[in-house]
Amino acid sequence: MMNADMDAVEAENQVELEEKTRLINQVLELQHTLEDLSARVDAVKEENLKLKSENQVLGQYIENLMSASSVFQTTDTKSKRNSTADLFMDISKDGVLASVMKPFYLTF
């Protein structure tokens, strides 16, 4: 009887050990996944900052081109555009804010 009880306890201990090992491996896998996702978020944030900076440069460039061109000059001072803020609008897609150029039409 004692031998059977010891075998049962050993079997139970073995099952617990296997379960603990499985859980530890699962935790480690989730930690690696979290690290990968965190690195990806950091990379996307960096890319976003870079694109915002490029967008500002391009906006300034467009503003300078428009102010230098007679095609974009208006005779009505009330409707004259004074900054790139008038040229761009903010949109949100999936919780991400982005600036896009407003559509405009040239009249001759």
Side-chain angles (χ1 to χ4, degrees), residues 6-94:
M6 289 179 65
D7 288 343
V9 169
E10 281 185 34
E12 187 177 314
N13 287 342
Q14 183 64 27
V15 168
E16 286 180 12
L17 182 61
E18 289 173 1
E19 180 66 14
K20 285 179 183 178
T21 302
R22 186 186 67 77
L23 289 173
I24 289 171
N25 288 336
Q26 189 176 14
V27 166
L28 291 173
E29 183 179 336
L30 290 172
Q31 284 179 336
H32 292 302
T33 301
L34 181 59
E35 289 171 357
D36 292 344
L37 289 173
S38 181
R40 177 70 179 131
V41 166
D42 290 342
V44 168
K45 283 181 181 179
E46 187 176 316
E47 181 68 15
N48 185 33
L49 288 174
K50 178 183 167 193
L51 291 173
K52 279 184 180 181
S53 176
E54 289 176 6
N55 194 23
Q56 287 177 336
V57 170
L58 289 172
Q60 185 64 46
Y61 179 71
I62 290 169
E63 184 178 328
N64 291 342
L65 286 176
M66 289 176 67
S67 66
S69 173
S70 63
V71 172
F72 294 102
Q73 302 301 318
T74 64
T75 55
D76 181 11
T77 57
K78 290 181 182 177
S79 66
K80 188 173 181 180
R81 295 172 188 247
N82 293 325
S83 71
T84 55
D86 294 331
L87 295 173
F88 293 91
M89 61 184 169
D90 291 333
I91 60 169
S92 179
K93 181 176 182 189
D94 299 330

